[in-house]
Amino acid sequence: MKVKINNRTENYRCVWFEPESGIIKIINQNKLPHKFEIAELKTYMEAADAIKTMAVRGAPAIGVTAGFGIAQACVQAPKQNFTDCLGKAVETLKSTRPTAVNLFHVIGGLLNKINDMGAIEDKEKAIEIAVFESQKTANETIDACKKIGEFGNGLFKNKYKILTHCNAGALACVDFGTALSPMRIAKYAGKEIFVFVDETRPRLQGAKLTAWELLNEGIEHKIIADNASGYFMQKGEIDLCIVGADRITANGDVANKIGTYEKAVLAKENSIPFYVAAPVSTIDFNIQNSNQIPIEERSEDDVLTVKDNKKDIRIAPVGSHALNPAFDVTPAKYITGIITEIGIFRPEEIHKLTNAGQNKNV
Ligand code: MRU
Protein backbone atom coordinates (compact mmCIF):
# COMPACT_ATOMS: atom_id res chain seq x y z
CA MET A 1 0.00 0.00 0.00
CA LYS A 2 1.09 3.55 -0.59
CA VAL A 3 2.07 5.44 2.54
CA LYS A 4 2.93 9.14 2.37
CA ILE A 5 5.63 10.00 4.88
CA ASN A 6 7.19 13.48 4.92
CA ASN A 7 6.36 14.20 1.26
CA ARG A 8 7.71 10.82 0.15
CA THR A 9 5.54 7.90 -0.92
CA GLU A 10 6.68 4.47 0.21
CA ASN A 11 5.18 1.01 -0.25
CA TYR A 12 4.32 -1.07 2.77
CA ARG A 13 2.63 -4.30 3.74
CA CYS A 14 0.72 -4.09 7.03
CA VAL A 15 2.59 -7.13 8.38
CA TRP A 16 5.78 -8.97 7.40
CA PHE A 17 8.26 -11.44 8.86
CA GLU A 18 12.03 -11.12 8.90
CA PRO A 19 13.29 -14.73 9.15
CA GLU A 20 16.93 -13.74 9.85
CA SER A 21 15.96 -12.00 13.11
CA GLY A 22 12.74 -13.94 13.71
CA ILE A 23 10.88 -10.64 14.18
CA ILE A 24 7.37 -9.89 12.88
CA LYS A 25 6.88 -6.26 11.91
CA ILE A 26 3.49 -4.57 11.75
CA ILE A 27 2.12 -1.12 11.09
CA ASN A 28 0.71 -0.38 14.54
CA GLN A 29 -2.92 0.33 13.65
CA ASN A 30 -3.74 1.62 17.12
CA LYS A 31 -1.50 4.63 16.41
CA LEU A 32 -3.02 5.56 13.04
CA PRO A 33 -3.88 7.95 11.50
CA HIS A 34 -1.79 10.49 13.41
CA LYS A 35 1.33 8.42 13.98
CA PHE A 36 2.92 5.97 11.55
CA GLU A 37 4.76 3.47 13.71
CA ILE A 38 6.27 0.10 12.87
CA ALA A 39 6.02 -2.24 15.87
CA GLU A 40 8.30 -5.25 16.36
CA LEU A 41 6.80 -8.49 17.66
CA LYS A 42 9.63 -10.63 18.97
CA THR A 43 7.71 -13.67 20.26
CA TYR A 44 4.47 -15.49 19.47
CA MET A 45 3.10 -14.06 22.75
CA GLU A 46 3.71 -10.55 21.45
CA ALA A 47 2.07 -11.55 18.16
CA ALA A 48 -0.96 -12.85 20.07
CA ASP A 49 -1.13 -9.67 22.09
CA ALA A 50 -0.97 -7.49 18.96
CA ILE A 51 -3.92 -9.41 17.49
CA LYS A 52 -5.91 -9.18 20.73
CA THR A 53 -5.32 -5.45 21.19
CA MET A 54 -5.97 -4.84 17.49
CA ALA A 55 -2.56 -3.32 16.71
CA VAL A 56 -2.99 -5.67 13.76
CA ARG A 57 -6.56 -6.45 12.69
CA GLY A 58 -8.82 -7.42 9.81
CA ALA A 59 -9.52 -11.07 9.01
CA PRO A 60 -6.74 -11.91 6.49
CA ALA A 61 -4.07 -9.88 8.36
CA ILE A 62 -4.96 -11.66 11.61
CA GLY A 63 -4.47 -15.01 9.83
CA VAL A 64 -1.11 -14.02 8.36
CA THR A 65 0.17 -12.64 11.69
CA ALA A 66 -0.85 -15.85 13.46
CA GLY A 67 1.01 -17.87 10.80
CA PHE A 68 4.17 -15.84 11.45
CA GLY A 69 3.56 -16.37 15.20
CA ILE A 70 3.62 -20.13 14.65
CA ALA A 71 6.92 -19.75 12.77
CA GLN A 72 8.32 -17.80 15.76
CA ALA A 73 7.08 -20.48 18.15
CA CYS A 74 8.89 -23.17 16.13
CA VAL A 75 12.12 -21.15 16.30
CA GLN A 76 11.80 -20.38 20.01
CA ALA A 77 10.50 -23.70 21.39
CA PRO A 78 13.18 -25.83 23.11
CA LYS A 79 14.11 -29.06 21.26
CA GLN A 80 13.29 -31.30 24.26
CA ASN A 81 9.57 -30.50 24.54
CA PHE A 82 9.07 -28.99 21.12
CA THR A 83 5.63 -30.54 20.46
CA ASP A 84 4.16 -29.33 23.79
CA CYS A 85 5.50 -25.81 23.33
CA LEU A 86 4.16 -25.62 19.80
CA GLY A 87 0.78 -26.82 21.08
CA LYS A 88 0.77 -24.05 23.68
CA ALA A 89 1.53 -21.43 21.02
CA VAL A 90 -1.30 -22.76 18.85
CA GLU A 91 -3.77 -22.43 21.73
CA THR A 92 -2.57 -18.94 22.66
CA LEU A 93 -2.84 -17.66 19.09
CA LYS A 94 -6.23 -19.30 18.53
CA SER A 95 -7.66 -17.68 21.66
CA THR A 96 -6.98 -14.12 20.49
CA ARG A 97 -10.10 -13.33 18.45
CA PRO A 98 -12.98 -15.73 17.80
CA THR A 99 -14.90 -14.45 14.75
CA ALA A 100 -12.53 -14.18 11.79
CA VAL A 101 -12.16 -17.71 10.43
CA ASN A 102 -8.86 -16.92 8.66
CA LEU A 103 -7.05 -17.24 12.00
CA PHE A 104 -8.19 -20.85 12.37
CA HIS A 105 -7.70 -21.73 8.70
CA VAL A 106 -4.09 -20.50 8.66
CA ILE A 107 -3.11 -22.16 11.95
CA GLY A 108 -4.92 -25.40 11.00
CA GLY A 109 -3.30 -25.41 7.54
CA LEU A 110 0.19 -24.92 9.00
CA LEU A 111 -0.24 -27.67 11.59
CA ASN A 112 -1.52 -30.08 8.93
CA LYS A 113 1.56 -29.36 6.79
CA ILE A 114 3.92 -29.88 9.75
CA ASN A 115 2.15 -33.13 10.65
CA ASP A 116 1.89 -34.41 7.06
CA MET A 117 5.62 -33.86 6.53
CA GLY A 118 6.47 -35.77 9.73
CA ALA A 119 7.90 -32.68 11.43
CA ILE A 120 5.79 -32.44 14.58
CA GLU A 121 8.70 -33.67 16.72
CA ASP A 122 11.46 -32.36 14.49
CA LYS A 123 12.19 -28.74 15.37
CA GLU A 124 14.52 -27.95 12.46
CA LYS A 125 12.16 -29.37 9.86
CA ALA A 126 9.15 -27.68 11.47
CA ILE A 127 10.93 -24.28 11.37
CA GLU A 128 11.65 -24.71 7.68
CA ILE A 129 8.01 -25.61 6.92
CA ALA A 130 6.46 -22.91 9.13
CA VAL A 131 8.67 -20.10 7.83
CA PHE A 132 8.14 -21.10 4.20
CA GLU A 133 4.39 -21.69 4.49
CA SER A 134 3.65 -18.54 6.49
CA GLN A 135 5.52 -16.39 3.95
CA LYS A 136 3.65 -18.18 1.18
CA THR A 137 0.32 -17.44 2.88
CA ALA A 138 1.19 -13.73 3.05
CA ASN A 139 2.09 -13.66 -0.66
CA GLU A 140 -0.98 -15.64 -1.68
CA THR A 141 -3.18 -13.31 0.36
CA ILE A 142 -1.86 -10.36 -1.61
CA ASP A 143 -2.41 -12.16 -4.94
CA ALA A 144 -5.99 -13.03 -3.95
CA CYS A 145 -6.74 -9.45 -2.91
CA LYS A 146 -5.41 -8.13 -6.19
CA LYS A 147 -7.68 -10.48 -8.11
CA ILE A 148 -10.65 -9.46 -5.93
CA GLY A 149 -9.80 -5.89 -6.91
CA GLU A 150 -9.84 -6.72 -10.60
CA PHE A 151 -13.21 -8.50 -10.41
CA GLY A 152 -14.67 -5.79 -8.17
CA ASN A 153 -13.47 -2.97 -10.41
CA GLY A 154 -15.60 -4.47 -13.18
CA LEU A 155 -18.68 -3.48 -11.14
CA PHE A 156 -17.74 0.21 -10.97
CA LYS A 157 -18.85 2.67 -13.63
CA ASN A 158 -17.00 5.94 -13.97
CA LYS A 159 -18.08 8.48 -11.31
CA TYR A 160 -19.61 5.78 -9.12
CA LYS A 161 -20.28 6.68 -5.50
CA ILE A 162 -19.52 3.75 -3.22
CA LEU A 163 -20.24 3.16 0.46
CA THR A 164 -17.95 1.05 2.63
CA HIS A 165 -18.05 0.06 6.28
CA CYS A 166 -15.14 -0.55 8.68
CA ASN A 167 -11.69 -1.12 7.14
CA ALA A 168 -11.33 -3.93 4.64
CA GLY A 169 -8.24 -2.38 3.12
CA ALA A 170 -4.54 -3.17 2.85
CA LEU A 171 -4.27 -2.69 6.61
CA ALA A 172 -6.66 -5.61 7.04
CA CYS A 173 -5.13 -7.89 4.41
CA VAL A 174 -1.31 -7.45 4.16
CA ASP A 175 -1.83 -5.39 0.98
CA PHE A 176 -4.55 -4.16 -1.46
CA GLY A 177 -7.48 -5.16 0.78
CA THR A 178 -10.75 -6.83 -0.11
CA ALA A 179 -13.44 -4.11 -0.24
CA LEU A 180 -10.82 -1.42 -0.88
CA SER A 181 -8.92 -3.36 -3.54
CA PRO A 182 -11.49 -2.64 -6.32
CA MET A 183 -11.23 1.06 -5.41
CA ARG A 184 -7.43 0.97 -5.75
CA ILE A 185 -7.63 -0.88 -9.08
CA ALA A 186 -10.31 1.56 -10.33
CA LYS A 187 -8.07 4.49 -9.43
CA TYR A 188 -5.05 2.92 -11.22
CA ALA A 189 -7.32 2.36 -14.26
CA GLY A 190 -8.13 6.08 -14.32
CA LYS A 191 -11.73 5.83 -13.15
CA GLU A 192 -13.20 8.59 -11.04
CA ILE A 193 -14.89 7.22 -7.96
CA PHE A 194 -16.08 8.70 -4.68
CA VAL A 195 -16.22 6.77 -1.42
CA PHE A 196 -18.59 7.31 1.50
CA VAL A 197 -16.65 6.04 4.52
CA ASP A 198 -18.75 4.96 7.51
CA GLU A 199 -16.94 6.10 10.63
CA THR A 200 -17.57 2.63 12.19
CA ARG A 201 -18.17 3.17 15.87
CA PRO A 202 -17.03 2.20 18.37
CA ARG A 203 -13.40 1.72 17.25
CA LEU A 204 -13.67 4.01 14.22
CA GLN A 205 -11.84 1.79 11.73
CA GLY A 206 -13.56 3.74 8.92
CA ALA A 207 -12.70 7.24 10.12
CA LYS A 208 -9.19 6.32 11.24
CA LEU A 209 -7.97 3.59 8.87
CA THR A 210 -10.05 3.53 5.68
CA ALA A 211 -9.86 7.32 5.35
CA TRP A 212 -6.07 7.15 5.89
CA GLU A 213 -5.68 4.51 3.17
CA LEU A 214 -7.87 6.40 0.69
CA LEU A 215 -6.03 9.64 1.39
CA ASN A 216 -2.68 7.95 0.72
CA GLU A 217 -4.04 6.60 -2.59
CA GLY A 218 -5.56 9.94 -3.61
CA ILE A 219 -9.07 8.47 -3.78
CA GLU A 220 -11.81 11.02 -3.23
CA HIS A 221 -13.86 10.31 -0.11
CA LYS A 222 -15.78 11.73 2.81
CA ILE A 223 -16.36 10.23 6.25
CA ILE A 224 -19.98 10.01 7.36
CA ALA A 225 -21.48 9.25 10.76
CA ASP A 226 -22.65 5.64 10.93
CA ASN A 227 -26.26 6.69 11.21
CA ALA A 228 -26.07 8.93 8.09
CA SER A 229 -25.84 6.19 5.44
CA GLY A 230 -29.65 5.75 5.17
CA TYR A 231 -29.96 9.46 4.47
CA PHE A 232 -27.52 9.31 1.57
CA MET A 233 -29.04 6.09 0.19
CA GLN A 234 -32.53 7.61 0.25
CA LYS A 235 -31.26 10.67 -1.64
CA GLY A 236 -29.92 8.42 -4.41
CA GLU A 237 -26.31 9.37 -3.69
CA ILE A 238 -24.93 5.87 -3.31
CA ASP A 239 -24.55 3.61 -6.36
CA LEU A 240 -23.09 0.53 -4.68
CA CYS A 241 -22.04 -0.76 -1.24
CA ILE A 242 -19.01 -2.96 -0.71
CA VAL A 243 -17.74 -4.43 2.57
CA GLY A 244 -15.38 -7.18 3.73
CA ALA A 245 -16.15 -10.32 5.73
CA ASP A 246 -14.82 -12.15 8.77
CA ARG A 247 -16.65 -15.40 8.14
CA ILE A 248 -19.09 -16.54 5.45
CA THR A 249 -21.28 -19.60 5.98
CA ALA A 250 -21.90 -22.18 3.25
CA ASN A 251 -25.38 -20.71 2.74
CA GLY A 252 -23.96 -17.24 2.07
CA ASP A 253 -24.63 -15.44 5.37
CA VAL A 254 -21.84 -12.99 6.20
CA ALA A 255 -20.34 -12.05 9.56
CA ASN A 256 -18.65 -8.67 9.37
CA LYS A 257 -18.12 -5.56 11.47
CA ILE A 258 -21.06 -4.56 13.64
CA GLY A 259 -23.37 -2.32 11.61
CA THR A 260 -22.92 -4.19 8.33
CA TYR A 261 -26.37 -5.82 8.67
CA GLU A 262 -28.07 -2.42 8.99
CA LYS A 263 -26.32 -1.13 5.86
CA ALA A 264 -27.35 -4.23 3.87
CA VAL A 265 -31.01 -3.94 4.91
CA LEU A 266 -31.03 -0.25 4.02
CA ALA A 267 -29.35 -0.96 0.69
CA LYS A 268 -32.03 -3.51 -0.25
CA GLU A 269 -34.78 -1.11 0.82
CA ASN A 270 -33.25 1.49 -1.52
CA SER A 271 -32.47 -0.96 -4.39
CA ILE A 272 -28.71 -0.43 -4.09
CA PRO A 273 -26.43 -3.42 -4.88
CA PHE A 274 -24.67 -4.72 -1.77
CA TYR A 275 -21.42 -6.65 -2.37
CA VAL A 276 -19.15 -8.52 0.00
CA ALA A 277 -15.47 -8.86 -1.00
CA ALA A 278 -13.58 -11.76 0.56
CA PRO A 279 -11.10 -14.51 -0.31
CA VAL A 280 -12.53 -18.04 -0.55
CA SER A 281 -10.72 -18.90 2.71
CA THR A 282 -13.20 -16.67 4.55
CA ILE A 283 -15.93 -19.22 3.79
CA ASP A 284 -16.46 -21.61 6.68
CA PHE A 285 -17.89 -24.76 5.10
CA ASN A 286 -18.12 -26.41 8.52
CA ILE A 287 -20.87 -24.05 9.60
CA GLN A 288 -24.33 -24.37 8.10
CA ASN A 289 -26.10 -21.99 10.39
CA SER A 290 -24.89 -18.46 11.08
CA ASN A 291 -26.00 -18.82 14.73
CA GLN A 292 -22.92 -21.02 15.10
CA ILE A 293 -20.54 -18.15 14.33
CA PRO A 294 -18.91 -16.97 17.56
CA ILE A 295 -19.43 -13.23 17.84
CA GLU A 296 -16.68 -11.44 19.72
CA GLU A 297 -17.77 -9.24 22.61
CA ARG A 298 -15.16 -6.54 23.27
CA SER A 299 -14.62 -4.26 26.24
CA GLU A 300 -17.40 -1.81 27.11
CA ASP A 301 -14.71 0.89 27.29
CA ASP A 302 -14.73 1.13 23.49
CA VAL A 303 -18.33 2.39 23.65
CA LEU A 304 -18.12 4.44 26.83
CA THR A 305 -15.00 6.38 25.85
CA VAL A 306 -13.41 8.10 22.88
CA LYS A 307 -9.77 7.21 22.38
CA ASP A 308 -6.91 9.13 20.91
CA ASN A 309 -3.28 8.04 20.92
CA LYS A 310 -2.66 9.33 24.41
CA LYS A 311 -5.74 8.91 26.56
CA ASP A 312 -9.35 7.76 26.75
CA ILE A 313 -12.01 10.42 27.23
CA ARG A 314 -15.13 9.18 29.00
CA ILE A 315 -18.29 10.29 27.16
CA ALA A 316 -20.97 8.29 29.01
CA PRO A 317 -22.05 8.99 32.57
CA VAL A 318 -20.05 7.15 35.19
CA GLY A 319 -22.34 4.34 36.35
CA SER A 320 -23.75 3.56 32.87
CA HIS A 321 -22.53 0.39 31.21
CA ALA A 322 -22.37 -0.69 27.56
CA LEU A 323 -22.74 -3.72 25.31
CA ASN A 324 -20.13 -4.11 22.59
CA PRO A 325 -20.62 -6.94 20.09
CA ALA A 326 -17.85 -6.50 17.49
CA PHE A 327 -19.61 -8.23 14.56
CA ASP A 328 -23.07 -8.98 13.21
CA VAL A 329 -24.42 -11.38 10.60
CA THR A 330 -26.01 -10.22 7.35
CA PRO A 331 -28.37 -12.86 5.95
CA ALA A 332 -27.64 -13.96 2.37
CA LYS A 333 -30.92 -12.49 1.08
CA TYR A 334 -29.52 -8.96 1.48
CA ILE A 335 -26.31 -9.69 -0.47
CA THR A 336 -26.13 -9.11 -4.22
CA GLY A 337 -22.83 -10.90 -4.72
CA ILE A 338 -19.64 -12.14 -3.10
CA ILE A 339 -16.48 -11.00 -4.86
CA THR A 340 -13.73 -13.60 -4.49
CA GLU A 341 -10.36 -14.17 -6.14
CA ILE A 342 -11.96 -16.68 -8.51
CA GLY A 343 -14.97 -14.62 -9.54
CA ILE A 344 -18.19 -13.04 -8.31
CA PHE A 345 -20.85 -15.40 -6.97
CA ARG A 346 -24.39 -15.06 -5.74
CA PRO A 347 -24.52 -16.05 -2.05
CA GLU A 348 -26.55 -19.18 -2.88
CA GLU A 349 -23.75 -20.36 -5.20
CA ILE A 350 -20.86 -20.30 -2.77
CA HIS A 351 -21.43 -23.75 -1.27
CA LYS A 352 -20.04 -25.01 -4.61
CA LEU A 353 -16.59 -23.57 -3.87
CA THR A 354 -15.68 -26.17 -1.22
CA ASN A 355 -12.27 -27.15 -2.56
CA ALA A 356 -11.15 -23.78 -3.82
CA GLY A 357 -9.33 -22.37 -0.80
CA GLN A 358 -9.87 -24.19 2.46
CA ASN A 359 -7.15 -24.15 5.10
CA LYS A 360 -5.44 -21.34 3.33
CA ASN A 361 -5.66 -17.64 3.84
CA VAL A 362 -6.47 -17.09 0.18
O1 MRU B 1 -12.55 -5.84 14.38
P1 MRU B 1 -11.80 -5.69 13.09
O2 MRU B 1 -11.31 -4.31 12.83
O3 MRU B 1 -10.74 -6.74 12.96
O4 MRU B 1 -12.92 -6.00 12.00
C1 MRU B 1 -12.56 -5.95 10.65
C2 MRU B 1 -13.71 -6.20 9.75
O5 MRU B 1 -14.83 -6.40 10.17
C3 MRU B 1 -13.39 -6.29 8.31
O6 MRU B 1 -14.45 -5.83 7.53
C4 MRU B 1 -13.11 -7.76 7.95
O7 MRU B 1 -12.15 -8.31 8.79
C5 MRU B 1 -12.71 -7.95 6.56
S1 MRU B 1 -11.07 -7.38 6.32
C6 MRU B 1 -10.68 -7.65 4.74
Side-chain angles (χ1 to χ4, degrees), residues 330-347:
T330 301
K333 67 177 177 182
Y334 294 108
I335 297 163
T336 313
I338 299 180
I339 309 164
T340 74
E341 69 276 31
I342 54 171
I344 304 178
F345 300 91
R346 290 194 309 278

Side-chain angles (χ1 to χ4, degrees), residues 80-157:
Q80 312 82 276
N81 50 354
F82 177 74
T83 316
D84 288 350
C85 289
L86 182 57
K88 193 164 166 247
V90 165
E91 288 320 308
T92 305
L93 287 159
K94 272 180 156 178
S95 69
T96 49
R97 297 196 70 192
T99 306
V101 76
N102 311 58
L103 175 73
F104 307 98
H105 280 168
V106 173
I107 294 175
L110 263 177
L111 275 185
N112 286 346
K113 265 270 156 47
I114 291 172
N115 267 315
D116 292 351
M117 297 180 77
I120 198 67
E121 287 171 4
D122 182 339
K123 179 177 156 96
E124 298 314 319
K125 206 166 163 189
I127 293 175
E128 209 178 294
I129 297 166
V131 170
F132 176 80
E133 290 296 328
S134 58
Q135 298 276 29
K136 188 165 159 240
T137 302
N139 293 333
E140 288 175 342
T141 301
I142 297 172
D143 291 345
C145 286
K146 194 158 179 250
K147 288 188 188 125
I148 287 171
E150 283 155 8
F151 284 118
N153 173 38
L155 299 168
F156 297 168
K157 295 195 182 123

Side-chain angles (χ1 to χ4, degrees), residues 54 57-60 97 166 168 172-173 178 205 245-246 256-257 327:
M54 296 176 68
R57 38 125 326 262
R97 297 196 70 192
C166 194
C173 302
T178 53
Q205 289 95 329
D246 285 82
N256 191 49
K257 181 51 55 196
F327 301 95

Side-chain angles (χ1 to χ4, degrees), residues 67-83:
F68 291 151
I70 296 288
Q72 284 183 319
C74 289
V75 173
Q76 287 158 5
K79 243 183 181 150
Q80 312 82 276
N81 50 354
F82 177 74
T83 316

Side-chain angles (χ1 to χ4, degrees), residues 198-218:
D198 284 340
E199 59 178 353
T200 320
R201 282 278 295 154
R203 286 187 71 96
L204 300 168
Q205 289 95 329
K208 290 183 173 180
L209 307 178
T210 297
W212 181 79
E213 283 196 40
L214 294 176
L215 205 59
N216 278 316
E217 293 286 348

